[in-house]
Amino acid sequence: MNTTIIYGKVDQILNRYGNKKSALIAVLQEVQKEYHYLPQEVLSYIGDKMGISRARIFGVATFYENFSLEPKGKYVIKICDGTACHVKKSIPILNALRKELGLNENKRTTDDMMFTVETVSCLGACGLAPVITINDKVYPKMTPEAAIRLVKEIREANRLED
Amino acid sequence: MAGTMIIDGQRVGFDKEKNILDVIRKAGIDLPTFCYHSELSIYGACRMCMVEDERGRTMAACSTPPRDGMIVKTNTPKLQKYRRMVLELILSNHDRDCTVCEKNGRCKLQELAARFSIKNIRFGPLCKQLPVDESSASIVRNPNKCIMCGDCVRMCEEVQGIGVLGFAYRGSKIKVTTAFERPIAEVECVNCGQCAAVCPTGALVVKNETSKVWDVLNDKNKRVVAQIAPAVRVALGEEFGLKPGEIVTGKIVAALRKLGFDEIYDTGMAADLTVMEESREFMGKLEKEENLPLFTSCCPAWVKHVEDKYPQLLKNLSTCKSPQQIFGALIKEHYKKIDEAQGKETVVVSVMPCTAKKYEAARPEYRNNGIPDVDVVITTQELALMIKQAGIVFNELEPESLDMPFGLASGAGLIFGVTGGVAEAVIRRCLKEKNPGALKEISFSGVRGMEGIKEAAINIDGREIKVAVVHGLGNASKLISSILAGEKRYDFVEVMACPGGCIGGAGQPIPQSSLVKMQRAKGLYDVDRSSQIKRSEENPIIMALYSGLLSEKRYLLHRYLHHQK
Ligand code: SF4
Ligand code: SF4
Ligand code: FES
């Protein structure tokens, strides 16, 4: 969408796997790391290069929760909703964040492309429940208030940067 | 591996069968299936084909190889219950408006629901209604009727080598769709319709345009002209219980007259013109050694495939219009002044074995001041439907003959409907020797038959011409890879997108076995054998056209040249 695509990077990834069809998922993971989502143009490009139909790549990309076909915000906030976090009240954190950022179940990314809020099923840190991660940094024993504070801090830091 | 199995207490030998389903069917038992097609890979998803062994274990017959001494039962109470449950579950999520469904009466799901007496569906639907995709000129996709058998997915990927459709999402959200869920007209779909031909339900159907034909037939200000493609005459009879391959040209003409068509002609006549033009183009290219091989261009699905996938080969594609489009352009030109004088409008209706012809007729380059050369395209199946709607008893019709002058085709023009036919017709034209022996030699050169990729070498003027004939776009892609890799070199390549050629088009009655296509092919070769005119250049109509209407208008026969007029 707004991402400019540099196919040289995609080529590098493809070369690393020698265009092998069996490496499709690994390739998609690397592409997602690069762009934070899987742009349609890149998926089509990969399909043509690897000799896999676009419909099939789309199938793989939609099968796994972890792949996103939508662009994500600069900060991806994941709220763990595994059993432990759930009983330790992860949902109020989720609701508070959505309310603060004007998001809901279907709209997961803010219009300014700053924040994406999503849930995951267990981050494997149950001892620290409830847990959230922001761009893979772990924040243990969260509360709704603490989460909102984190968001505000990020906003402030970004404002100063500009 | 050969051996013997016991099926429902009956001893049945097997030999080359790869799965027990084939053995069971050979034994005369019609085991129900949704996801099994002998020409596609095994998918094993629908579970309708379950059988039980002597220890009460169940297995899917389509995905179990036969073993010597194997004992299976196909109709135990357990299996009956199982099949009903599968059907009930499928139906629970199925849009069940059968009476207004395009597939009504020809639907596998409907047939099996009736056969297993499904009376009550205890489960509610899980999915919400999804939009119907009517973007394509050829096919309509209604995801609410999809049962996820994957037949279309495998057809498009394995036989056509394209992969327009695939499974996406998972669990209860799973669906069969295009890449990024785009409308099918906006992806690499070539409109061959083969997916619709294997779809057991109304999820993929050929676009029905019979109402447009009824409209023009009932309009007194319209001169309605029909053209009948070669392959239609050897298949339409199947819709009325006649043998595949039976030649019913005369009955079709009689039926079309009863329906109210004003003039009825042969697309084979236009195919003769294609042969003339393509031969001239080929000899020219051969002389200059440029842009070889020459690829045929009469299959619109193939043309679209080249545009989508092999733009570098566009210069190798013949510039000749397909017979359908030549016919349309010719008739419109022929009647232009007469229509003006009489205050009439000529409408061309094609009867085609093909769904891609609908798409071809709608292409912008085949319009003249907004008026299409071919107005409506109906398939063999749609014509059968119209005949039934009109209450015409087809089998009792007395054969009638096609109208003149455009109803006369040579044998060469008529074998266009079968794989190898276009190549054979063009070789007949190019070859200097015109004796019956030469004809026979061409027919045995390797262009005929049902193998996916055929090769022939013909000596023309002391030069050996290498010809390849492919059908099924998957085979075409294989051939092209070997050409592009420099492994193979040809001078002339005929491509037809549908397996078997036009006789296997998706607009034809759905064949019940692979034998059907062979019988239809034989029908067309019989037509050729019994026709007095074997070569396109010997067709008197063609000669008359070249010295008359076409003398200054050869551009009508080509795709790009008409821009230069
Ligand atoms: S019409 Fe042909 S190309 Fe299009 S989806 Fe169906 S099988 Fe594939
Ligand atoms: S569209 Fe038809 S052929 Fe394709 S999966 Fe659905 S039911 Fe099967
Ligand atoms: S036909 Fe065997 S599982 Fe569908």
Side-chain angles (χ1 to χ4, degrees):
Chain A
M1 301 188 186
N2 305 340
T3 334
T4 4
I5 288 155
I6 304 152
Y7 286 102
K9 277 195 187 145
V10 182
D11 281 333
Q12 272 173 19
I13 296 172
L14 286 168
N15 284 340
R16 223 173 305 139
Y17 291 96
N19 280 354
K20 266 215 311 283
K21 285 188 190 174
S22 55
L24 176 62
I25 290 179
V27 169
L28 293 183
Q29 278 172 324
E30 296 218 14
V31 169
Q32 176 148 307
K33 214 183 256 164
E34 189 67 40
Y35 298 99
H36 304 293
Y37 79 111
L38 298 172
Q40 286 192 8
E41 306 85 313
V42 176
L43 288 182
S44 300
Y45 183 80
I46 294 173
D48 295 350
K49 284 271 159 147
M50 297 179 94
I52 302 173
S53 78
R54 294 170 182 192
R56 186 164 280 243
I57 294 217
F58 179 67
V60 172
T62 53
F63 187 87
Y64 296 101
E65 275 299 324
N66 236 307
F67 291 132
S68 169
L69 282 105
E70 307 271 298
K72 293 204 178 178
K74 189 170 169 198
Y75 298 93
V76 177
I77 308 177
K78 292 185 182 169
I79 294 108
C80 181
D81 195 29
T83 316
C85 288
H86 188 85
V87 292
K88 289 271 195 174
K89 300 209 161 40
S90 56
I91 295 299
I93 304 174
L94 173 69
N95 290 340
L97 282 172
R98 279 183 177 160
K99 193 159 163 237
E100 170 71 20
L101 296 168
L103 301 176
N104 56 44
E105 205 183 325
N106 299 318
K107 181 174 163 49
R108 300 182 186 197
T109 300
T110 54
D111 291 332
D112 61 359
M113 298 303 287
M114 223 23 179
F115 294 100
T116 296
V117 173
E118 48 192 41
T119 56
V120 285
S121 310
C122 196
L123 288 164
C126 306
L128 310 173
V131 178
I132 73 169
T133 61
I134 302 181
N135 286 358
D136 296 332
K137 184 165 188 270
V138 180
Y139 295 88
K141 300 215 189 310
M142 267 291 124
T143 61
E145 298 72 34
I148 287 171
R149 228 176 5 253
L150 282 173
V151 167
K152 286 191 169 143
E153 278 167 21
I154 293 173
R155 271 212 194 112
E156 191 60 19
N158 271 277
R159 212 166 45 85
L160 292 179
E161 252 174 50
D162 284 346
Chain B
M1 198 188 73
T4 313
M5 300 180 47
I6 297 178
I7 299 168
D8 295 337
Q10 178 194 345
R11 292 175 70 84
V12 186
F14 61 87
D15 180 21
K16 289 196 190 70
E17 288 82 3
K18 288 200 189 71
N19 51 66
I20 55 180
L21 176 63
D22 279 346
V23 188
I24 291 169
R25 289 205 167 151
K26 194 172 76 175
I29 296 165
D30 180 17
L31 204 64
T33 56
F34 282 121
C35 71
Y36 179 74
H37 282 274
S38 53
E39 72 272 32
L40 303 178
S41 65
I42 303 282
Y43 188 47
C46 76
R47 313 318 271 177
M48 283 302 286
C49 68
M50 298 303 272
V51 294
E52 199 176 329
D53 72 3
E54 76 274 28
R55 286 164 48 197
R57 287 178 307 194
T58 53
M59 63 200 106
C62 68
S63 13
T64 310
R67 271 178 291 108
D68 193 33
M70 205 174 201
I71 301 172
V72 297
K73 288 195 175 139
T74 68
N75 188 31
T76 63
K78 186 168 164 185
L79 293 171
Q80 283 193 356
K81 194 168 157 212
Y82 193 99
R83 284 184 193 129
R84 276 208 193 95
M85 180 60 99
V86 170
L87 282 167
E88 203 181 322
L89 283 168
I90 292 176
L91 285 165
S92 71
N93 231 353
H94 191 82
D95 182 350
R96 299 192 295 270
D97 58 358
C98 287
T99 49
V100 291
C101 178
E102 187 60 39
K103 226 16 182 286
N104 190 7
R106 289 171 297 133
C107 171
K108 194 74 174 274
L109 180 57
Q110 201 183 36
E111 178 201 320
L112 291 182
R115 194 167 129 190
F116 290 92
S117 312
I118 308 296
K119 296 284 182 249
N120 176 26
I121 290 148
R122 290 165 288 171
F123 319 107
L126 267 181
C127 304
K128 39 180 197 305
Q129 286 278 316
L130 298 165
V132 176
D133 182 355
E134 295 187 276
S135 63
S136 161
S138 309
I139 53 176
V140 179
R141 212 171 64 79
N142 182 349
N144 306 302
K145 293 186 181 283
C146 177
I147 61 169
M148 307 299 155
C149 66
D151 292 349
C152 56
V153 174
R154 283 171 292 138
M155 175 53 85
C156 192
E157 185 158 309
E158 295 170 9
V159 176
Q160 299 302 50
I162 308 177
V164 169
L165 298 164
F167 287 100
Y169 306 96
R170 66 164 156 181
S172 63
K173 294 204 185 75
I174 193 167
K175 55 174 136 173
V176 167
T177 182
T178 57
F180 316 114
E181 304 194 64
R182 291 206 186 119
I184 199 152
E186 288 168 27
V187 295
E188 329 79 314
C189 168
V190 299
N191 301 282
C192 69
Q194 289 298 324
C195 52
V198 290
C199 178
T201 71
L204 274 165
V205 294
V206 177
K207 193 163 255 181
N208 181 337
E209 290 178 294
T210 52
S211 65
K212 287 191 193 163
V213 184
W214 287 122
D215 285 349
V216 292
L217 288 174
N218 290 317
D219 184 339
K220 281 195 199 63
N221 297 319
K222 301 249 155 71
R223 179 197 323 277
V224 189
V225 177
Q227 58 166 323
I228 310 168
V232 175
R233 66 202 71 191
V234 291
L236 187 88
E238 293 165 37
E239 285 283 328
F240 300 95
L242 302 176
K243 281 200 307 295
E246 191 164 330
I247 304 152
V248 292
T249 326
K251 281 184 189 295
I252 296 177
V253 177
L256 289 171
R257 286 225 175 86
K258 275 199 190 302
L259 290 174
F261 283 86
D262 297 301
E263 287 161 37
I264 301 152
Y265 297 125
D266 203 327
T267 311
M269 183 277 307
D272 279 329
L273 287 168
T274 307
V275 174
M276 299 301 285
E277 293 301 311
E278 205 156 276
S279 307
R280 188 199 302 239
E281 188 182 7
F282 178 51
M283 294 313 274
K285 287 194 165 180
L286 209 54
E287 205 166 291
K288 285 189 248 155
E289 295 270 353
E290 76 177 11
N291 296 335
L292 291 171
L294 177 71
F295 286 98
T296 57
S297 60
C298 32
C299 170
W302 156 242
V303 170
K304 169 122 193 309
H305 195 51
V306 177
E307 290 168 340
D308 287 347
K309 205 167 157 200
Y310 303 107
Q312 72 271 38
L313 292 178
L314 279 170
K315 59 183 188 333
N316 294 59
L317 202 60
S318 165
T319 62
C320 293
K321 281 185 192 170
S322 72
Q324 157 169 285
Q325 294 307 136
I326 286 183
F327 182 91
L330 202 65
I331 292 293
K332 292 277 163 107
E333 186 65 30
H334 177 76
Y335 276 118
K336 208 160 149 190
K337 293 228 171 69
I338 305 172
D339 278 357
E340 274 166 26
Q342 297 180 348
K344 276 211 165 197
E345 192 191 322
T346 296
V347 173
V348 173
V349 176
S350 308
V351 186
M352 293 284 142
C354 173
T355 60
K357 289 284 166 190
K358 290 176 184 276
Y359 152 81
E360 180 182 52
R363 283 179 67 127
E365 69 261 36
Y366 296 132
R367 286 170 182 270
N368 238 324
N369 301 323
I371 299 166
D373 290 339
V374 172
D375 298 83
V376 193
V377 180
I378 55 168
T379 61
T380 312
Q381 281 199 39
E382 285 168 82
L383 176 59
L385 185 70
M386 289 184 72
I387 293 172
K388 289 174 191 167
Q389 280 174 11
I392 296 169
V393 184
F394 187 78
N395 294 351
E396 285 171 16
L397 288 172
E398 289 294 341
E400 293 178 20
S401 57
L402 288 148
D403 287 310
M404 287 302 268
F406 307 116
L408 185 66
S410 77
L414 292 174
I415 55 174
F416 253 62
V418 53
T419 166
V422 178
E424 185 166 346
V426 169
I427 300 169
R428 281 187 195 175
R429 165 75 185 124
C430 295
L431 207 63
K432 289 275 149 50
E433 298 85 52
K434 300 289 178 192
N435 53 48
L439 277 183
K440 206 166 226 149
E441 206 172 297
I442 305 170
S443 71
F444 285 114
S445 66
V447 289
R448 293 192 180 185
M450 287 292 155
E451 307 90 273
I453 300 180
K454 296 173 276 185
E455 291 180 316
I458 315 275
N459 194 304
I460 296 179
D461 285 347
R463 175 178 172 165
E464 193 185 61
I465 306 296
K466 286 201 146 67
V467 177
V469 173
V470 286
H471 50 126
L473 289 177
N475 290 325
S477 291
K478 271 186 221 147
L479 188 88
I480 290 172
S481 308
S482 62
I483 292 174
L484 293 179
E487 292 155 16
K488 293 274 184 183
R489 199 196 61 75
Y490 300 103
D491 301 302
F492 185 92
V493 179
E494 175 204 292
V495 185
M496 295 190 189
C498 289
C502 313
I503 51 162
Q508 299 274 65
I510 307 301
Q512 294 311 315
S513 77
S514 54
L515 202 66
V516 170
K517 285 184 194 169
M518 270 137 82
Q519 289 163 317
R520 290 179 189 162
K522 183 176 175 297
L524 279 186
Y525 288 126
D526 286 346
V527 173
D528 172 41
R529 204 154 14 82
S530 58
S531 65
Q532 283 121 320
I533 308 164
K534 296 276 192 281
R535 296 181 180 79
S536 303
E537 71 271 24
E538 291 163 2
N539 183 344
I541 308 299
I542 302 305
M543 300 295 93
L545 280 169
Y546 273 119
S547 50
L549 191 150
L550 288 173
S551 59
E552 310 227 308
K553 294 192 171 134
R554 261 189 60 221
Y555 64 80
L556 287 174
L557 309 175
H558 289 267
R559 266 182 305 137
Y560 304 112
L561 299 181
H562 76 277
H563 297 301
Q564 299 163 10
K565 69 182 164 182

